[in-house]
Amino acid sequence: MKKTALILLILFPFFSHATHERAGEITYTCLGGLTYSITITTYTKGSSNAADRCSLMINFGDDTAHYTVCRANYEPGDPTSDPWTANCGGNGNPCSTHHMGEWSTACGVNLQSIDVKKNVYTITHTYPGPGAYIISMTDPNRNNGIINIPGNQVKTPFSIQDTLIINPFIGCNSSPVLNYCPIDRACAGKLFIHNPGAVDPDNDSLSYKLGVCYEDANLPISGYWLPSGVSVNALTGDFIWNVPPFPQNDPDCDEWNFAIDIEQWRKIGDGSYALAGTVRRDMQVTVCDCANDPPVISAHDTCIEANTSLTLTVTATDPDGHNITLFTAAGNPFTLTPAATFSVTGLNTPVATGTFSWKPDCKEVRSSPYTVTLKTTDDGLPDSPPMPLSAFASFNITVIAPAPKNLSASPHCSEMNLKWDAALCSQTTGNVFKGYKIYRAIGCDSNVPGYCQTSVPAAWGYSLIATVGKSITSYTDNNNGNGLTHGIIYAYRVVAYYSDGAESYASAPACNELRRDVPIMTNVSVISTGANGSMFIKWLKPLTDTALGGIDTLNGPPFTINLYRCAGNCTPSALIASFTNNSFAALDTTYTDTPLGTSASGYTYRVDFHYGTTTNPCQAQKASSVFLSCNPSDNQIQITWNEQVPWLNSQYDVFRKNHFTGNWDSIATTTTLQTFTDTGLANDTVYCYKVRSTGAYADPSLPSPLINWSQELCCAAIDKTPPCPPALAIDSSCILQQNLLTWTNPNNSCSNDAIYYIIYYTPVQNGEYSVLDTIHTISITSFLHDSLNSIAGCYAVTAVDSFGNQSAFSNVVCVDNCPYYELPNVFTPNADGSNDYFTPLHPYKYVKDIDIRIYNRWGTEVFHTTDAEIMWNGKSSQTNKLCSDGVYYYICIVNDIRLEGIVPRALKGNVTILSHE
């Protein structure tokens, strides 16, 4: 049971008269572990002195008790404050001498001029353990005259609450600090915007939504309502009212109360966001019929590189040409170290200028921006008395990590070795540095990132090729083991990335191309096709001019070339030939690989080069043969091919063997597609094909063109396309006990070679279909299913063509029985050969069996059978004697044969025995 501490009895006499609570919120600070400092801030009607509380009661939400929380002092050093000192001690009050409230300019205007006092209460509490706790404070009285709170507002309690979540996965969490107080003014008929200026001390993400004003913990005010045009921006926290109506009650001004819920979201280990807490602000807006226009703030989003200085100028302008009296800024940058500053010039003039300055360091790097919220207030003119209005605006600052420096790219064989300096922002706490992303493009560029452009934009033409850890500052690009290509200039950029997904600026590009220090493959071409076929392989030796990136032959001899092979597009590992010579000029550059099963597979080759004392040979790029495959269909054959080569094939010529001359005829040429469909062919006729590829390296000094042939491939066109399904209809007859099926001939609409039909049937719905019959004449499109004990069932028809391709099912058509089973109401068991038995009226239909029990008028069973014919002769089954004349009663369960299966049906009735008729 909750216990409530004693509230100050000295204040009780004033509760019925107090009209004081205007607005407020509860905030909290984690002091470590389970201990929190909790602050209640309220804004009261200043002229209601007797209602100004020395203390309030707080419910911590953990079922411990309600506790008295004392008011703190007014803000020290504020020359505009009026302490209103009073002794809050005595009479059982646990609070010592405190100040009775605060007059200040905290809301952008002297609070005394708008009859508002600010009160701050603090208390420390330790919670028992993890959980979600509702911290709440309820005061008995709001101020009177609030438009959207029905009834007597002074008797409506003022209640504010927070949700404090203690979660070990979230850690110690403090609520947002609300820098702008919840007292504001608006002019009727003019757009109104307010912002709480929320700053989260833990840098959690904040979201905002429109709430409801409460009269007790978890209890909204009954009948509370919102005017039209009210919304809250979920990202910025702007409370927007478009537009406030003209005053209803007071001839000059109305008061309205609203609630804003501010939710904290913390990113946890799995990358998702968890709700860390919620603060509800109850705010009051005074709407007056006034001529003043709110001031206008000019600001824009920006970005800054960590460890560099940002200076941003913003302005506040009074559109009426009067004076700006206040211009302030709030946001996380002011709470960090190093902290941002905001200086203002031009106050008490129509245009005030604010200068925002900040030099964030590496620990401020993150993917989400830092938000700075600006507030300005004018002097209230031309209204008399003045009606000062405020305006709010926010701008975002994204802190970006510096780009990795001194990236270099050094070629070696068919790979590129990259190196760079360690990241300048490599923090291991907070937003932890995770590693580097490496990007590659073809061709060097001079792109420079925009001031807010992180990573490598897709428009630059780069592709992500690798991600490495934070301790790695080098990478070898070998194109995933396939090797890079000679004659191409490669460009690289490196980006640092962080645990929340933030990425640095892109490094400057490092560009280079491979050297001619390896053999270069030029040909992998099929000479003959078959189980004992042959392949022609050719390569270029490395250059010997070191000035051109070649090898130093003085480091040899001997000189050795090793040739490796594998079947398919793969990494060659089987050594099939080795060439060693003391003369570099005499080294072999060609090889015929035979016998080789060239019809079953393509092959990939790679050349290694060894010389002198070299122990780590340079591997050339691998290259494969062009390998064909076919996909035959009705009167056509689709040929496809693939290869993996370091050069670019720009043309493919397709050849087909002539049946009459035996020559190979060129039938097609493609430049990009690696497929060709040969149409207008005869089914079951074999056609043979081969493809010639033509390509070249990007380096114009290398031989061109490079011609290579595929294997020969033979296959036959075959019809694999089934006919379209027939359309089925059924005419069923319960009386004739038959189903007449009719369907359409697909050859009359969508096929041309269907030759017979297959009829499928299942006696129950959703049952397994079996073949009922086959109609071998394609012109016959009907079938009579008759002499049936049950016409119930589902049917479908398929069509089959001359190649055995069967169509899909036609539409499935199901029919059901119409069972008939009736019993007479009299029979005469007198052995005269007429009507001697109690039996159903004939013929009954579609009945599997029955279960009938017949009783006399005293309820004694005289007969029972499961035979559908019944055939009761009027004798009692107990005595085997003829039952006396009279009325007998029966209950008969008839098991009907239906489409869904056997369905029981109950018949109840009576039958009369007349044995002497």
Side-chain angles (χ1 to χ4, degrees):
M1 177 180 296
K2 295 181 180 180
K3 300 178 181 179
T4 302
L6 180 65
I7 198 164
L8 298 182
L9 298 178
I10 191 171
L11 298 178
F12 279 178
F14 300 101
F15 284 1
S16 60
H17 305 290
T19 59
H20 70 296
E21 292 290 5
R22 294 183 179 273
E25 69 264 352
I26 300 173
T27 55
Y28 51 84
T29 301
C30 180
L31 302 179
L34 302 173
T35 302
Y36 290 79
S37 173
I38 301 172
T39 299
I40 303 173
T41 304
T42 65
Y43 295 81
T44 62
K45 188 176 180 67
S47 57
S48 181
N49 297 330
D52 212 0
R53 309 281 193 258
C54 290
S55 61
L56 294 172
M57 303 299 292
I58 188 171
N59 184 348
F60 296 119
D62 58 0
D63 290 329
T64 52
H66 285 68
Y67 282 87
T68 301
V69 53
C70 300
R71 185 176 59 240
N73 288 343
Y74 68 100
E75 296 176 3
D78 185 349
T80 65
S81 63
D82 181 358
W84 282 49
T85 55
N87 190 346
C88 289
N91 296 314
N93 189 339
C95 300
S96 59
T97 300
H98 278 70
H99 295 269
M100 285 293 294
E102 172 192 350
W103 302 120
S104 76
T105 57
C107 298
V109 66
N110 186 294
L111 293 180
Q112 189 168 8
S113 68
I114 57 173
D115 198 18
V116 176
K117 283 185 184 177
K118 178 180 178 181
N119 302 271
V120 180
Y121 307 81
T122 61
I123 192 170
T124 299
H125 182 67
T126 299
Y127 282 88
Y133 302 98
I134 304 297
I135 307 172
S136 62
M137 184 282 296
T138 300
D139 189 275
N141 308 99
R142 290 180 179 266
N143 67 284
N144 198 22
I146 302 172
I147 296 297
N148 56 334
I149 294 179
N152 188 343
Q153 295 84 20
V154 73
K155 293 185 178 180
T156 301
F158 175 84
S159 185
I160 48 178
Q161 67 182 57
D162 287 357
T163 300
L164 167 64
I165 297 176
I166 302 178
N167 182 340
F169 293 102
I170 293 176
C172 197
N173 178 57
S174 298
S175 73
V177 176
L178 309 186
N179 287 279
Y180 298 134
C181 62
I183 299 293
D184 213 337
R185 287 144 300 161
C187 283
K190 299 179 182 180
L191 180 68
F192 170 77
I193 298 177
H194 172 88
N195 191 291
V199 175
D200 192 90
D202 305 312
N203 280 330
D204 292 326
S205 296
L206 300 180
S207 65
Y208 306 81
K209 61 184 180 181
L210 198 60
V212 175
C213 294
Y214 277 38
E215 58 183 340
D216 203 351
N218 292 320
L219 181 63
I221 296 173
S222 177
Y224 172 83
W225 59 280
L226 290 171
S228 62
V230 170
S231 63
V232 170
N233 187 304
L235 297 179
T236 66
D238 284 345
F239 174 91
I240 302 169
W241 192 356
N242 189 15
V243 288
F246 285 85
Q248 302 174 26
N249 297 332
D250 189 283
D252 297 316
C253 300
D254 280 345
E255 290 175 339
W256 300 74
N257 270 64
F258 304 97
I260 301 176
D261 289 347
I262 306 168
E263 297 176 325
Q264 299 170 275
W265 298 92
R266 180 164 298 180
K267 194 171 186 178
I268 55 179
D270 63 358
S272 63
Y273 284 85
L275 182 64
T278 302
V279 169
R280 172 172 293 124
R281 157 168 278 193
D282 193 314
M283 60 178 284
Q284 188 169 92
V285 180
T286 300
V287 180
C288 300
D289 184 359
C290 47
N292 188 16
D293 290 305
V296 177
I297 298 175
S298 174
H300 60 84
D301 295 344
T302 189
C303 299
I304 186 65
E305 183 179 302
N307 300 315
T308 61
S309 297
L310 170 66
T311 299
L312 186 68
T313 300
V314 295
T315 59
T317 304
D318 185 87
D320 302 310
H322 297 286
N323 294 334
I324 298 294
T325 61
L326 178 75
F327 197 14
T328 61
N332 279 109
F334 299 100
T335 67
L336 302 172
T337 304
T341 62
F342 187 71
S343 60
V344 181
T345 60
L347 286 180
N348 298 314
T349 69
V351 179
T353 300
T355 302
F356 174 87
S357 301
W358 190 29
K359 187 178 181 180
D361 58 23
C362 285
K363 68 179 183 296
E364 269 66 73
V365 170
R366 69 181 193 186
S367 60
S368 58
Y370 295 86
T371 300
V372 175
T373 304
L374 303 170
K375 178 181 180 180
T376 187
T377 305
D378 63 18
D379 59 7
L381 299 177
D383 290 298
S384 182
M387 179 64 183
L389 297 178
S390 297
F392 297 82
S394 298
F395 64 89
N396 294 319
I397 307 164
T398 302
V399 180
I400 302 174
K405 306 297 182 183
N406 298 320
L407 173 65
S408 64
S410 302
H412 174 70
C413 301
S414 59
E415 60 193 29
M416 200 72 72
N417 295 321
L418 309 179
K419 291 184 179 180
W420 59 90
D421 294 347
L424 296 176
C425 287
S426 55
Q427 59 269 23
T428 58
T429 59
N431 191 18
V432 175
F433 168 61
K434 300 292 289 184
Y436 304 92
K437 295 182 179 181
I438 303 164
Y439 293 82
R440 180 183 67 209
I442 303 299
C444 205
D445 69 280
S446 58
N447 293 312
V448 177
Y451 76 103
C452 283
Q453 196 169 50
T454 62
S455 191
V456 179
W460 290 6
Y462 283 78
S463 298
L464 178 66
I465 61 170
T467 300
V468 298
K470 60 185 179 182
S471 61
I472 299 173
T473 56
S474 63
Y475 178 75
T476 297
D477 179 21
N478 60 12
N479 194 23
N480 295 321
N482 295 314
L484 298 173
T485 300
H486 284 80
I488 292 178
I489 296 176
Y490 291 96
Y492 296 88
R493 290 182 185 259
V494 176
V495 173
Y497 75 99
Y498 298 81
S499 58
D500 75 337
E503 296 183 336
S504 72
Y505 288 114
S507 71
C511 305
N512 214 330
E513 60 181 320
L514 298 180
R515 299 182 299 173
R516 290 281 302 276
D517 55 358
V518 291
I520 297 177
M521 301 289 294
T522 59
N523 293 89
V524 180
S525 185
V526 177
I527 301 173
S528 62
T529 302
N532 295 310
S534 58
M535 191 84 70
F536 174 70
I537 301 96
K538 185 178 181 180
W539 58 90
L540 301 175
K541 291 182 292 185
L543 292 177
T544 57
D545 187 345
T546 56
L548 297 176
I551 65 170
D552 183 4
T553 56
L554 296 178
N555 194 33
F559 304 99
T560 300
I561 285 181
N562 291 329
L563 180 62
Y564 296 85
R565 181 190 70 206
C566 66
N569 289 331
C570 46
T571 299
S573 58
L575 179 65
I576 62 170
S578 183
F579 313 96
T580 301
N581 202 306
N582 287 329
S583 169
F584 181 80
L587 276 174
D588 293 271
T589 58
T590 64
Y591 180 75
T592 299
D593 191 10
T594 189
L596 194 64
T598 53
S599 59
S601 174
Y603 292 88
T604 302
Y605 296 85
R606 188 194 80 233
V607 175
D608 284 355
F609 177 62
H610 306 249
Y611 65 104
T613 58
T614 303
T615 57
N616 182 23
C618 277
Q619 292 184 359
Q621 278 196 317
K622 63 185 182 179
S624 76
S625 61
V626 178
F627 187 75
L628 304 184
S629 59
C630 70
N631 180 27
S633 57
D634 190 12
N635 301 122
Q636 65 183 29
I637 296 174
Q638 182 188 46
I639 302 295
T640 59
W641 57 91
N642 64 80
E643 77 280 352
Q644 287 188 353
V645 294
W647 59 86
L648 176 63
N649 281 327
S650 58
Q651 179 174 309
Y652 301 95
D653 298 302
V654 181
F655 293 82
R656 183 179 67 202
K657 194 170 187 178
N658 192 300
H659 288 152
F660 302 102
T661 65
N663 296 327
W664 288 91
D665 299 331
S666 176
I667 61 173
T669 296
T670 72
T671 56
T672 56
L673 297 178
Q674 291 182 271
T675 182
F676 170 73
T677 300
D678 195 10
T679 60
L681 306 179
N683 287 335
D684 286 339
T685 299
V686 175
Y687 297 86
C688 296
Y689 302 87
K690 62 180 179 180
V691 170
R692 180 181 64 198
S693 66
T694 301
Y697 283 96
D699 187 346
S701 68
L702 295 175
S704 175
L706 303 179
I707 306 296
N708 290 279
W709 289 90
S710 74
Q711 90 282 16
E712 298 173 13
L713 177 67
C714 299
C715 51
I718 184 172
D719 185 0
K720 294 182 179 180
T721 304
C724 57
L728 175 64
I730 296 180
D731 183 10
S732 61
S733 173
C734 287
I735 296 174
L736 299 177
Q737 296 180 256
Q738 65 183 26
N739 291 321
L740 176 61
L741 284 64
T742 59
W743 58 87
T744 58
N745 183 341
N747 287 345
N748 295 333
S749 57
C750 53
S751 304
N752 59 15
D753 61 347
I755 58 175
Y756 66 92
Y757 305 102
I758 300 176
I759 302 172
Y760 291 88
Y761 166 75
T762 176
V764 293
Q765 199 166 31
N766 300 321
E768 184 175 347
Y769 286 85
S770 60
V771 175
L772 178 62
D773 206 344
T774 301
I775 308 299
H776 290 284
T777 302
I778 196 65
S779 61
I780 297 177
T781 56
S782 65
F783 173 78
L784 182 63
H785 196 199
D786 61 355
S787 301
L788 302 175
N789 292 327
S790 168
I791 66 168
C794 296
Y795 299 83
V797 179
T798 63
V800 183
D801 67 15
S802 57
F803 286 89
N805 299 309
Q806 185 175 187
S807 75
F809 267 18
S810 68
N811 55 304
V812 173
V813 180
C814 297
V815 296
D816 203 355
N817 288 318
C818 20
Y820 174 78
Y821 191 85
E822 290 190 10
L823 298 176
N825 58 10
V826 64
F827 74 110
T828 57
N830 55 10
D832 64 355
S834 176
N835 200 26
D836 288 333
Y837 293 93
F838 179 55
T839 189
L841 301 177
H842 288 76
Y844 59 85
K845 292 182 178 181
Y846 312 121
V847 173
K848 175 180 176 289
D849 54 29
I850 67 161
D851 188 311
I852 188 170
R853 296 179 185 273
I854 303 176
Y855 304 87
N856 63 22
R857 59 181 177 174
W858 294 282
T860 301
E861 183 181 299
V862 295
F863 183 76
H864 171 236
T865 187
T866 58
D867 183 358
E869 292 288 339
I870 304 177
M871 299 301 290
W872 181 37
N873 59 8
K875 293 183 178 180
S876 170
S877 58
Q878 297 178 359
T879 63
N880 202 28
K881 293 182 179 179
L882 189 65
C883 294
S884 60
D885 289 359
V887 178
Y888 293 80
Y889 304 91
Y890 61 82
I891 299 176
C892 181
I893 303 300
V894 181
N895 292 310
D896 293 334
I897 303 171
R898 302 302 295 263
L899 180 62
E900 62 265 38
I902 303 302
V903 178
R905 173 168 55 97
L907 294 178
K908 296 180 180 180
N910 59 77
V911 59
T912 301
I913 295 179
L914 298 175
S915 60
H916 301 295
E917 291 294 325

